[in-house]
Each structure stands twice: as structure tokens, then as C-alpha cells.
């Protein structure tokens, strides 16, 4: 073999394979390789324990509502439902001191009106503070934040009551509706969603196309704010459905909300019938439970979208 072909032969000779890097072992533990937390056995046990603690008060309410008052004070406590729930529900609606049907009707009217008003005004206010430029916007927004930091409902009971007396609205539903039609938290929540979820370029493109401010709010802002509107609507509904102090001040026993009707049922006798009280309470939480079942997925989606932003 000539010296010219020697380098070629040497280059064509098979080269030894490079050693492979040591295989990286997969990390074991709560964090997987893709960064997702994998639940451990203790995590699952803890979640089950928390779920039981959360569900047990509701289950106990059903148990006592289906039994007698003596079972509520007995030891060991009864843990299985009885067979008196249907009878107690009929007795609750026929209670001579507590008008449960009127309380449910008034609560639906008050809570539905307040919820629609809060969601509507909050979307308008949040859109204005986030995307419109006008004089005094920072001062107005600071006023909204100040209203969230001060308990206006507790501090304003006396002035609001005097106002309702002057308007001759005592023992009327509008006295319970008017003070809660605007919510500072709702305006702040919608403002944050508008700022982070709606690009300014879309607003400018809509203005170039000739859309008005109301048209932009209706066609662009409202569809984008739908998850936040569901969350705000449910929170507002729950807050006003469970409201007791202000209706107790301005409404009478002849025109109650559901919370006042439950109070009437619990104070009608010297010794309260706990099974009747628990039955009325069970009936009062059914609308909220239905809302969670219907809008539960949208509520979780809205909350997770807000945290992701």
C-alpha cells in the first residue's frame, strides 16, 4: 500500500464509539420531570380529610332536619338521616310564625336585582377605568379602593336608615336593594380583567372601524369578561342571599327575607325546634347549591384564568 492511500485507509477504518453519557435517573418525589406536581399518598389523605370536614356540616344539617330535636342534643349523636324530612318540610312551609314562601320570594327579588345591577355596573365601570382616558379617573379609582377598605355597611347603618325614613321606604324591598346596587370590589375586579385580558389594539381597531364606546363594551368587553362576570355574580348572589343585618333593620316580620323567616322560626317558641330550624336552613341553601352545580365549571375556569393572568 502506498503512502498516499494510507491516510484514506486510516480514515475509513471504524472509529470506536464514544461512550454514552450516564442515563439521568428520573427524580422521584412530588415534582415530576415536566414540572407538574404529582400528589403523594399524604396529599391525597389530606385532601380527603379536608373534603370530609367541609361536607360534614351540610350532612349534619340534613341528619338533624330529618330527625327530632332530641336527636340533636343526644349523645352519642345521630349520624344517619331519619325519615322525617318530608314531614318537616311541609311543617316549615306551613309554620304559623315564619312565612317561608314569602321570604324565599323576597330574597329572590332582592338578590336577583342586586346581582344584575352589580355585574352590569361593574363591567361598565371596570371598562371605563381600564380602557378610557378621562380627567379624574385616578381620583375616582382611589375612591373605589377606599370604599373597599372601609366597612361602609356597618358605619353607614344610621345614615342609611335616616335616608330610608325620609324616603318613606321602611318595610319595602327597595330599601334593601338600593344600598347594594354598586360594589367597589366588582368594579376593581372587572378593571383588572379588562387591563390584562383585553389588548388595547383590539379597542383601537374597533374604533377605526367606527364602533362606539357602548358598541365596544357590548361586542368586545362583555364576551371577554364572561368568566369574571360569572364569578362576581355568584359571589354577589351569595353575599346578598345570606344578608341579615340590614334587612333585619328595615323590614318587618310581615315582609321578611329568607334569613328573617329562619329567625322567626327559631324564636317562635322559648325552646327552639332545632329540627325545624335546620329544615328551614336546608331549604335556604338549595338555590346556592343549584348555582354551584350549574355554573361550577365556569366559576373554576374564571378563578383559574384570573390567577393565571
Amino acid at each position: 500500500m502506498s503512502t498516499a492511500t494510507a491516510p484514506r485507509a486510516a480514515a475509513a477504518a471504524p472509529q470506536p464509539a464514544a461512550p454514552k453519557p450516564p442515563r439521568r435517573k428520573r427524580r422521584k418525589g412530588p415534582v415530576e420531570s415536566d414540572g407538574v406536581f404529582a400528589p403523594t399518598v399524604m396529599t391525597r389523605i389530606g385532601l380527603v380529610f379536608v373534603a370530609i370536614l367541609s361536607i360534614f356540616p351540610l350532612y349534619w344539617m340534613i341528619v338533624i332536619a330529618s330527625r327530632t330535636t332530641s336527636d340533636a342534643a343526644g349523645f352519642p349523636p345521630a349520624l344517619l338521616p331519619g325519615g322525617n324530612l318530608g314531614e318537616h318540610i311541609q311543617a316549615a312551609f306551613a309554620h304559623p310564625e315564619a312565612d317561608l314562601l314569602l321570604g324565599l320570594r323576597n330574597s329572590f327579588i332582592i338578590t336577583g336585582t342586586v346581582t344584575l345591577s352589580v355585574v352590569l355596573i361593574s363591567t361598565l365601570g371596570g371598562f371605563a377605568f381600564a380602557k378610557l382616558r378621562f380627567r379624574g379617573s385616578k381620583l375616582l379609582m382611589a375612591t373605589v379602593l377606599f370604599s373597599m377598605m372601609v366597612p361602609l355597611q356597618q358605619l353607614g347603618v344610621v345614615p342609611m336608615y335616616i335616608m330610608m325614613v325620609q324616603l318613606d321606604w321602611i318595610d319595602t324591598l327597595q330599601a334593601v336593594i338600593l344600598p347594594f346596587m354598586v360594589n367597589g370590589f366588582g368594579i376593581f375586579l372587572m378593571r383588572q380583567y379588562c387591563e390584562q385580558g383585553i389588548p388595547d389594539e383590539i379597542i383601537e381597531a374597533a374604533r377605526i372601524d367606527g364602533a362606539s364606546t357602548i358598541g365596544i363594551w357590548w361586542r368586545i368587553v362583555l364576551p371577554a369578561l364572561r368568566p369574571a362576570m360569572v364569578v362576581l355574580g355568584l359571589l354577589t348572589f351569595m353575599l346578598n342571599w345570606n344578608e341579615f343585618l340590614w334587612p333585619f333593620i328595615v323590614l318587618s316580620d310581615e315582609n321578611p327575607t329568607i334569613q328573617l323567616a329562619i329567625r322567626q322560626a327559631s324564636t317562635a317558641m322559648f325552646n327552639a325546634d332545632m329540627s325545624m330550624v335546620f329544615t328551614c336552613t336546608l331549604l335556604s341553601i338549595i338555590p346556592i347549591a343549584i348555582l354551584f352545580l350549574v355554573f361550577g365549571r365556569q366559576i373554576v375556569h374564571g378563578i383559574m384564568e384570573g390567577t393565571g393572568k
Side-chain angles (χ1 to χ4, degrees):
M1 181 181 296
S2 64
T3 58
T5 59
R8 295 181 181 179
Q15 300 293 330
K20 295 182 178 180
R23 185 175 181 181
R24 186 176 181 180
K25 295 182 179 180
R26 186 178 181 181
R27 182 181 177 182
K28 298 181 180 179
V31 181
E32 298 291 344
S33 59
D34 55 355
V36 179
F37 284 90
T40 61
V41 176
M42 293 303 299
T43 302
R44 298 178 187 273
I45 295 175
L47 291 176
V48 171
F49 181 72
V50 172
I52 293 174
L53 288 180
S54 302
I55 297 174
F56 182 76
L58 179 61
Y59 175 75
W60 174 253
M61 178 175 57
I62 297 174
V63 170
I64 302 303
S66 61
R67 288 180 172 268
T68 61
T69 301
S70 59
D71 294 332
F75 186 84
L79 297 179
L80 296 177
N84 302 328
L85 182 59
E87 178 183 350
H88 289 167
I89 291 176
Q90 294 179 2
F93 283 112
H95 199 288
E97 300 292 337
D99 196 341
L100 204 64
L101 284 176
L102 181 60
L104 287 171
R105 191 201 70 175
N106 289 343
S107 291
F108 272 116
I109 295 174
I110 294 170
T111 307
T113 304
V114 170
T115 301
L116 291 177
S117 173
V118 167
V119 173
L120 178 64
I121 295 177
S122 297
T123 53
L124 286 169
F127 168 59
F129 282 118
K131 299 302 179 181
L132 302 182
R133 301 294 178 262
F134 56 93
R135 184 177 300 178
S137 61
K138 294 183 178 180
L139 178 61
L140 291 176
M141 193 62 210
T143 305
V144 172
L145 296 177
F146 178 77
S147 68
M148 296 170 54
M149 295 182 290
V150 178
L152 295 177
Q153 180 180 354
Q154 288 75 18
L155 295 178
V157 166
V158 175
M160 286 195 302
Y161 182 79
I162 295 175
M163 183 184 301
M164 297 306 154
V165 171
Q166 294 176 350
L167 294 173
D168 196 18
W169 282 3
I170 296 298
D171 199 18
T172 60
L173 297 186
Q174 55 262 33
V176 186
I177 294 174
L178 184 64
F180 304 101
M181 294 183 69
V182 181
N183 189 301
F185 170 75
I187 296 176
F188 175 76
L189 177 66
M190 293 302 174
R191 173 181 175 268
Q192 296 302 111
Y193 266 84
C194 281
E195 282 189 346
Q196 302 176 7
I198 303 177
D200 294 336
E201 291 78 8
I202 297 179
I203 305 296
E204 296 299 328
R207 291 194 181 279
I208 293 175
D209 292 339
S212 61
T213 303
I214 296 298
I216 294 174
W217 170 77
W218 179 258
R219 295 183 177 88
I220 298 176
V221 176
L222 285 186
L225 295 182
R226 190 174 301 164
M229 292 168 61
V230 174
V231 174
L232 178 61
L234 179 64
L235 294 178
T236 305
F237 188 93
M238 291 176 55
L239 180 65
N240 288 272
W241 184 267
N242 297 322
E243 179 64 30
F244 176 80
L245 176 61
W246 182 245
F248 177 71
I249 294 174
V250 298
L251 297 180
S252 65
D253 293 342
E254 289 73 23
N255 193 28
T257 61
I258 183 60
Q259 307 303 329
L260 298 183
I262 295 175
R263 171 188 169 273
Q264 294 170 9
S266 63
T267 59
M269 297 178 295
F270 181 76
N271 294 323
D273 187 353
M274 296 306 299
S275 61
M276 185 62 60
V277 174
F278 276 61
T279 302
C280 296
T281 306
L282 177 62
L283 294 174
S284 70
I285 68 172
I286 289 178
I288 298 178
I290 293 175
L291 286 178
F292 269 102
L293 292 176
V294 175
F295 299 104
R297 182 174 298 178
Q298 299 183 30
I299 294 167
V300 174
H301 174 69
I303 295 175
M304 296 304 297
E305 183 176 347
T307 57
K309 293 175 182 179

